[in-house]
Amino acid sequence: MAEETPASAASEAGSATDGGGPNTLLVALVLCLVCSITVSSIAVALRGRQVANQENDRKKVILQVAGLYEAGRSIEELFEQVKTRVVELETGQYVDEPDFDQRKAARDPERSIAIPPEQDVAKIRRRARHASVYLVERDGELDRVILPVHGYGLWSTMYGFVALERDANTIFGLQFYEHAETAGLGARVADPAWVGQFQGKQVYDEQGAIRVRAVKGHVEPDAPGAKYEVDGISGATLTSDGVSNLMRYWFSDQGFEPYLKRVGS
Ligand SMILES: Cc1cc2nc3c(=O)[nH]c(=O)nc-3n(C[C@H](O)[C@H](O)[C@H](O)COP(=O)(O)O)c2cc1C
Protein backbone atom coordinates (compact mmCIF):
# COMPACT_ATOMS: atom_id res chain seq x y z
CA MET A 1 0.00 0.00 0.00
CA ALA A 2 1.48 3.33 -1.01
CA GLU A 3 2.06 5.67 1.91
CA GLU A 4 0.56 9.14 1.60
CA THR A 5 3.31 11.69 1.71
CA PRO A 6 2.63 15.33 2.68
CA ALA A 7 3.41 16.25 -0.93
CA SER A 8 0.77 13.94 -2.43
CA ALA A 9 -1.85 15.08 0.12
CA ALA A 10 -1.17 18.67 -0.82
CA SER A 11 -1.45 17.86 -4.49
CA GLU A 12 -4.83 16.11 -3.93
CA ALA A 13 -6.13 19.06 -1.96
CA GLY A 14 -4.96 21.36 -4.71
CA SER A 15 -6.70 19.39 -7.42
CA ALA A 16 -9.94 19.33 -5.39
CA THR A 17 -9.78 23.10 -5.18
CA ASP A 18 -8.97 23.43 -8.85
CA GLY A 19 -11.86 21.14 -9.72
CA GLY A 20 -14.35 23.30 -7.68
CA GLY A 21 -13.07 26.63 -9.08
CA PRO A 22 -15.65 27.46 -11.78
CA ASN A 23 -18.51 26.07 -9.66
CA THR A 24 -17.49 28.13 -6.64
CA LEU A 25 -17.35 31.22 -8.80
CA LEU A 26 -20.78 30.48 -10.29
CA VAL A 27 -22.32 29.93 -6.85
CA ALA A 28 -20.76 33.16 -5.59
CA LEU A 29 -22.07 35.07 -8.62
CA VAL A 30 -25.58 33.66 -8.32
CA LEU A 31 -25.57 34.42 -4.58
CA CYS A 32 -24.46 37.99 -5.23
CA LEU A 33 -27.16 38.42 -7.87
CA VAL A 34 -29.89 36.97 -5.67
CA CYS A 35 -28.79 39.11 -2.71
CA SER A 36 -28.61 42.32 -4.72
CA ILE A 37 -32.01 41.70 -6.32
CA THR A 38 -33.49 40.97 -2.89
CA VAL A 39 -31.96 44.08 -1.28
CA SER A 40 -32.97 46.41 -4.11
CA SER A 41 -36.51 44.98 -4.25
CA ILE A 42 -36.88 45.53 -0.50
CA ALA A 43 -35.50 49.08 -0.84
CA VAL A 44 -37.95 49.85 -3.65
CA ALA A 45 -40.85 48.25 -1.80
CA LEU A 46 -40.09 50.23 1.38
CA ARG A 47 -39.44 53.56 -0.34
CA GLY A 48 -43.08 54.59 -0.13
CA ARG A 49 -43.24 53.79 3.54
CA GLN A 50 -39.97 55.64 4.21
CA VAL A 51 -41.27 58.76 2.48
CA ALA A 52 -44.52 58.53 4.45
CA ASN A 53 -42.58 58.16 7.72
CA GLN A 54 -40.35 61.13 6.93
CA GLU A 55 -43.42 63.21 6.13
CA ASN A 56 -45.01 62.10 9.37
CA ASP A 57 -41.88 63.04 11.36
CA ARG A 58 -41.76 66.47 9.71
CA LYS A 59 -45.39 67.08 10.59
CA LYS A 60 -44.75 65.95 14.16
CA VAL A 61 -41.90 68.47 14.57
CA ILE A 62 -44.09 71.25 13.14
CA LEU A 63 -46.85 70.35 15.59
CA GLN A 64 -44.37 70.23 18.48
CA VAL A 65 -42.79 73.58 17.66
CA ALA A 66 -46.27 75.12 17.32
CA GLY A 67 -47.32 73.68 20.69
CA LEU A 68 -50.04 71.53 19.09
CA TYR A 69 -48.58 68.07 19.53
CA GLU A 70 -50.45 65.64 21.76
CA ALA A 71 -48.91 62.22 22.40
CA GLY A 72 -51.20 59.34 21.47
CA ARG A 73 -53.22 61.36 18.94
CA SER A 74 -52.96 60.89 15.21
CA ILE A 75 -50.46 63.25 13.58
CA GLU A 76 -52.69 63.49 10.49
CA GLU A 77 -55.65 64.54 12.59
CA LEU A 78 -53.66 67.09 14.61
CA PHE A 79 -52.12 68.47 11.43
CA GLU A 80 -55.59 69.46 10.21
CA GLN A 81 -55.13 72.56 12.41
CA VAL A 82 -52.16 73.62 10.27
CA LYS A 83 -52.39 75.29 6.85
CA THR A 84 -49.42 74.75 4.55
CA ARG A 85 -48.63 77.59 2.14
CA VAL A 86 -45.76 78.40 -0.18
CA VAL A 87 -44.19 81.85 -0.11
CA GLU A 88 -42.10 83.59 -2.74
CA LEU A 89 -39.29 84.86 -0.52
CA GLU A 90 -38.42 87.95 -2.53
CA THR A 91 -41.93 89.39 -2.43
CA GLY A 92 -43.35 87.67 0.62
CA GLN A 93 -46.45 86.73 -1.39
CA TYR A 94 -48.15 83.36 -1.38
CA VAL A 95 -47.90 81.34 -4.58
CA ASP A 96 -49.57 78.21 -5.82
CA GLU A 97 -46.98 75.41 -5.82
CA PRO A 98 -48.64 72.06 -5.23
CA ASP A 99 -46.35 69.35 -3.77
CA PHE A 100 -43.58 71.87 -3.21
CA ASP A 101 -40.38 70.36 -1.81
CA GLN A 102 -38.08 73.11 -0.58
CA ARG A 103 -34.96 70.96 -0.32
CA LYS A 104 -35.41 69.63 -3.84
CA ALA A 105 -36.07 73.14 -5.15
CA ALA A 106 -32.86 74.40 -3.49
CA ARG A 107 -30.88 71.92 -5.59
CA ASP A 108 -32.59 72.91 -8.83
CA PRO A 109 -30.75 75.85 -10.49
CA GLU A 110 -34.01 77.02 -12.09
CA ARG A 111 -35.89 77.16 -8.82
CA SER A 112 -33.12 78.44 -6.55
CA ILE A 113 -30.59 81.24 -6.26
CA ALA A 114 -26.89 81.20 -5.43
CA ILE A 115 -26.28 83.26 -2.31
CA PRO A 116 -23.40 85.72 -2.70
CA PRO A 117 -20.66 84.86 -0.15
CA GLU A 118 -21.02 88.21 1.69
CA GLN A 119 -24.72 87.45 2.32
CA ASP A 120 -24.25 83.77 3.05
CA VAL A 121 -24.06 84.05 6.83
CA ALA A 122 -25.83 80.71 7.27
CA LYS A 123 -23.30 79.04 4.94
CA ILE A 124 -25.86 77.29 2.76
CA ARG A 125 -24.61 78.52 -0.65
CA ARG A 126 -28.02 78.25 -2.39
CA ARG A 127 -31.61 78.61 -1.37
CA ALA A 128 -34.92 77.90 -3.04
CA ARG A 129 -36.79 80.95 -4.36
CA HIS A 130 -39.81 79.73 -2.42
CA ALA A 131 -40.33 78.39 1.07
CA SER A 132 -43.04 76.39 2.78
CA VAL A 133 -44.69 78.08 5.72
CA TYR A 134 -47.18 76.60 8.14
CA LEU A 135 -50.00 78.64 9.58
CA VAL A 136 -52.06 78.12 12.68
CA GLU A 137 -55.17 80.27 12.76
CA ARG A 138 -57.55 81.11 15.55
CA ASP A 139 -60.98 82.64 14.81
CA GLY A 140 -59.92 83.15 11.20
CA GLU A 141 -56.84 85.19 12.21
CA LEU A 142 -53.21 84.14 12.03
CA ASP A 143 -52.15 82.96 15.48
CA ARG A 144 -48.75 81.35 14.84
CA VAL A 145 -46.54 80.95 11.83
CA ILE A 146 -43.96 78.19 11.54
CA LEU A 147 -40.96 78.70 9.29
CA PRO A 148 -38.34 76.22 8.11
CA VAL A 149 -34.76 77.36 8.77
CA HIS A 150 -31.37 75.82 8.13
CA GLY A 151 -27.72 76.71 8.35
CA TYR A 152 -24.28 75.31 9.01
CA GLY A 153 -23.04 74.56 12.52
CA LEU A 154 -19.57 73.18 13.08
CA TRP A 155 -19.84 69.89 11.17
CA SER A 156 -23.19 69.88 9.49
CA THR A 157 -26.20 71.71 8.14
CA MET A 158 -28.77 71.97 10.89
CA TYR A 159 -32.44 71.87 9.84
CA GLY A 160 -35.21 73.13 12.06
CA PHE A 161 -38.46 75.01 12.42
CA VAL A 162 -39.13 78.21 14.27
CA ALA A 163 -42.62 79.19 15.37
CA LEU A 164 -43.51 82.85 15.77
CA GLU A 165 -46.45 84.42 17.55
CA ARG A 166 -48.99 86.49 15.61
CA ASP A 167 -46.75 89.60 15.89
CA ALA A 168 -44.32 87.74 13.57
CA ASN A 169 -41.55 88.69 16.00
CA THR A 170 -41.91 86.82 19.30
CA ILE A 171 -40.56 83.27 19.19
CA PHE A 172 -42.98 80.65 20.40
CA GLY A 173 -40.70 77.67 19.71
CA LEU A 174 -37.59 76.44 17.97
CA GLN A 175 -36.66 72.87 17.20
CA PHE A 176 -33.90 71.21 15.19
CA TYR A 177 -34.74 67.83 13.70
CA GLU A 178 -31.65 67.10 11.61
CA HIS A 179 -27.97 67.81 12.18
CA ALA A 180 -24.68 65.97 12.66
CA GLU A 181 -23.07 68.02 15.43
CA THR A 182 -21.11 66.19 18.15
CA ALA A 183 -23.13 64.25 20.71
CA GLY A 184 -22.92 65.97 24.10
CA LEU A 185 -21.57 69.20 22.55
CA GLY A 186 -23.11 70.74 19.44
CA ALA A 187 -25.87 68.11 19.40
CA ARG A 188 -27.43 69.97 22.32
CA VAL A 189 -29.06 72.18 19.65
CA ALA A 190 -31.74 69.51 19.60
CA ASP A 191 -32.07 69.49 23.39
CA PRO A 192 -35.51 70.86 24.37
CA ALA A 193 -33.94 72.58 27.39
CA TRP A 194 -31.53 74.51 25.17
CA VAL A 195 -33.94 75.50 22.40
CA GLY A 196 -36.60 76.16 25.05
CA GLN A 197 -34.62 79.28 26.02
CA PHE A 198 -35.75 80.90 22.77
CA GLN A 199 -39.40 80.89 23.82
CA GLY A 200 -40.56 84.48 24.32
CA LYS A 201 -37.43 86.02 22.76
CA GLN A 202 -37.86 88.71 20.13
CA VAL A 203 -36.29 88.41 16.70
CA TYR A 204 -36.26 92.13 15.74
CA ASP A 205 -35.74 95.24 17.85
CA GLU A 206 -37.82 98.43 17.51
CA GLN A 207 -35.60 99.58 14.64
CA GLY A 208 -36.14 96.31 12.79
CA ALA A 209 -32.59 95.01 13.37
CA ILE A 210 -32.26 91.24 13.83
CA ARG A 211 -31.14 90.81 17.43
CA VAL A 212 -32.00 87.21 18.32
CA ARG A 213 -28.89 85.14 19.01
CA ALA A 214 -27.07 82.76 21.30
CA VAL A 215 -24.23 84.42 23.20
CA LYS A 216 -21.18 82.84 24.78
CA GLY A 217 -21.78 82.49 28.52
CA HIS A 218 -24.85 83.38 30.52
CA VAL A 219 -27.48 86.03 29.77
CA GLU A 220 -28.62 87.81 32.92
CA PRO A 221 -32.39 88.39 32.89
CA ASP A 222 -31.90 92.16 33.36
CA ALA A 223 -29.10 92.47 30.77
CA PRO A 224 -29.86 95.00 27.98
CA GLY A 225 -30.09 92.28 25.29
CA ALA A 226 -31.95 89.75 27.44
CA LYS A 227 -35.16 89.87 25.42
CA TYR A 228 -33.27 88.75 22.31
CA GLU A 229 -30.46 86.54 23.64
CA VAL A 230 -30.02 83.04 25.05
CA ASP A 231 -27.06 81.27 26.70
CA GLY A 232 -24.82 79.60 24.11
CA ILE A 233 -24.06 75.90 24.47
CA SER A 234 -20.96 75.69 26.65
CA GLY A 235 -18.08 73.96 24.84
CA ALA A 236 -19.96 74.37 21.56
CA THR A 237 -19.73 78.03 20.71
CA LEU A 238 -19.30 77.26 17.02
CA THR A 239 -22.59 75.35 16.80
CA SER A 240 -24.31 78.08 18.85
CA ASP A 241 -22.94 80.70 16.44
CA GLY A 242 -24.34 78.57 13.61
CA VAL A 243 -27.80 78.94 15.18
CA SER A 244 -27.38 82.72 15.53
CA ASN A 245 -26.18 82.92 11.93
CA LEU A 246 -29.03 80.91 10.47
CA MET A 247 -31.48 83.14 12.34
CA ARG A 248 -29.68 86.18 10.97
CA TYR A 249 -30.05 84.86 7.43
CA TRP A 250 -33.61 83.55 7.52
CA PHE A 251 -35.03 86.63 9.26
CA SER A 252 -33.23 89.01 6.90
CA ASP A 253 -34.62 90.57 3.72
CA GLN A 254 -32.97 87.63 1.91
CA GLY A 255 -35.12 85.25 3.91
CA PHE A 256 -38.54 85.66 5.50
CA GLU A 257 -38.50 89.37 6.34
CA PRO A 258 -40.65 90.51 3.38
CA TYR A 259 -43.21 87.84 4.28
CA LEU A 260 -43.16 88.56 8.01
CA LYS A 261 -43.62 92.30 7.41
CA ARG A 262 -46.69 91.44 5.39
CA VAL A 263 -48.35 89.02 7.83
CA GLY A 264 -47.29 90.37 11.23
CA SER A 265 -49.86 92.28 13.27
C1 LIG B 1 -14.04 65.94 18.98
C2 LIG B 1 -14.56 67.33 19.13
C3 LIG B 1 -15.85 67.59 18.76
C4 LIG B 1 -16.38 68.88 18.87
N1 LIG B 1 -17.65 69.12 18.47
C5 LIG B 1 -18.13 70.37 18.56
C6 LIG B 1 -19.45 70.68 18.11
O1 LIG B 1 -20.24 69.82 17.69
N2 LIG B 1 -19.85 71.98 18.17
C7 LIG B 1 -19.04 72.97 18.62
O2 LIG B 1 -19.44 74.13 18.60
N3 LIG B 1 -17.81 72.70 19.08
C8 LIG B 1 -17.33 71.44 19.06
N4 LIG B 1 -16.08 71.19 19.49
C9 LIG B 1 -15.34 72.27 20.14
C10 LIG B 1 -14.85 73.31 19.14
O3 LIG B 1 -13.72 72.82 18.50
C11 LIG B 1 -14.54 74.61 19.90
O4 LIG B 1 -13.53 74.37 20.82
C12 LIG B 1 -15.75 75.10 20.64
O5 LIG B 1 -16.83 75.26 19.76
C13 LIG B 1 -15.48 76.41 21.30
O6 LIG B 1 -16.55 76.60 22.21
P1 LIG B 1 -16.32 77.17 23.68
O7 LIG B 1 -15.63 78.48 23.46
O8 LIG B 1 -17.69 77.29 24.27
O9 LIG B 1 -15.46 76.19 24.38
C14 LIG B 1 -15.56 69.91 19.38
C15 LIG B 1 -14.25 69.64 19.76
C16 LIG B 1 -13.74 68.37 19.64
C17 LIG B 1 -12.34 68.11 20.05
Side-chain angles (χ1 to χ4, degrees):
M1 201 169 101
E3 231 178 80
E4 195 179 276
T5 63
S8 68
S11 122
E12 261 175 43
S15 66
T17 314
D18 291 348
N23 279 346
T24 312
L25 206 64
L26 193 68
V27 169
L29 273 175
V30 170
L31 204 65
C32 284
L33 201 67
V34 169
C35 289
S36 53
I37 291 174
T38 311
V39 170
S40 32
S41 315
I42 292 174
V44 169
L46 291 181
R47 183 75 199 130
R49 200 183 296 178
Q50 272 175 352
V51 171
N53 283 347
Q54 278 168 3
E55 182 63 9
N56 210 49
D57 286 349
R58 196 180 54 84
K59 286 181 175 170
K60 184 175 169 186
V61 177
I62 293 167
L63 290 169
Q64 283 172 332
V65 84
L68 299 173
Y69 179 69
E70 290 173 47
R73 285 195 56 193
S74 137
I75 302 285
E76 276 311 313
E77 211 178 283
L78 290 170
F79 208 77
E80 282 169 14
Q81 305 167 79
V82 179
K83 261 192 197 161
T84 304
R85 303 296 299 264
V86 179
V87 168
E88 181 180 49
L89 290 169
E90 196 181 337
T91 59
Q93 298 294 332
Y94 292 126
V95 292
D96 231 7
E97 284 260 352
D99 301 323
F100 177 67
D101 181 330
Q102 197 174 330
R103 288 215 206 175
K104 243 190 218 164
R107 291 193 295 270
D108 178 348
E110 306 238 306
R111 295 193 295 153
S112 63
I113 57 158
I115 304 170
E118 67 280 6
Q119 282 173 6
D120 192 14
V121 287
K123 300 200 199 97
I124 51 175
R125 295 200 290 266
R126 303 193 71 81
R127 69 146 171 81
R129 291 179 191 279
H130 299 104
S132 301
V133 297
Y134 305 90
L135 314 177
V136 180
E137 293 178 343
R138 184 175 294 176
D139 306 326
E141 300 265 313
L142 182 67
D143 190 39
R144 266 168 216 159
V145 56
I146 297 97
L147 311 171
V149 290
H150 67 283
Y152 212 74
L154 174 59
W155 309 113
S156 63
T157 303
M158 306 180 287
Y159 291 87
F161 288 103
V162 52
L164 298 179
E165 309 259 12
R166 68 175 64 192
D167 63 359
N169 188 19
T170 308
I171 296 180
F172 178 78
L174 171 68
Q175 196 161 321
F176 289 97
Y177 62 92
E178 190 181 320
H179 67 83
E181 302 298 287
T182 312
L185 288 170
R188 288 189 51 216
V189 279
D191 180 346
W194 189 72
V195 283
Q197 297 181 95
F198 282 90
Q199 183 157 31
K201 300 290 172 179
Q202 309 271 293
V203 175
Y204 304 100
D205 66 14
E206 286 74 19
Q207 284 71 45
I210 303 161
R211 296 281 301 277
V212 66
R213 64 186 187 124
V215 297
K216 195 174 163 82
H218 176 63
V219 179
E220 292 298 335
D222 54 356
K227 63 179 181 175
Y228 311 105
E229 295 168 355
V230 305
D231 302 355
I233 303 169
S234 66
T237 298
L238 300 175
T239 303
S240 313
D241 287 350
V243 174
S244 305
N245 292 338
L246 70 87
M247 295 282 210
R248 205 146 60 88
Y249 181 77
W250 286 104
F251 287 116
S252 76
D253 56 357
Q254 300 301 308
F256 288 109
E257 192 183 69
Y259 170 67
L260 293 174
K261 275 189 172 156
R262 198 172 70 72
V263 297
S265 57

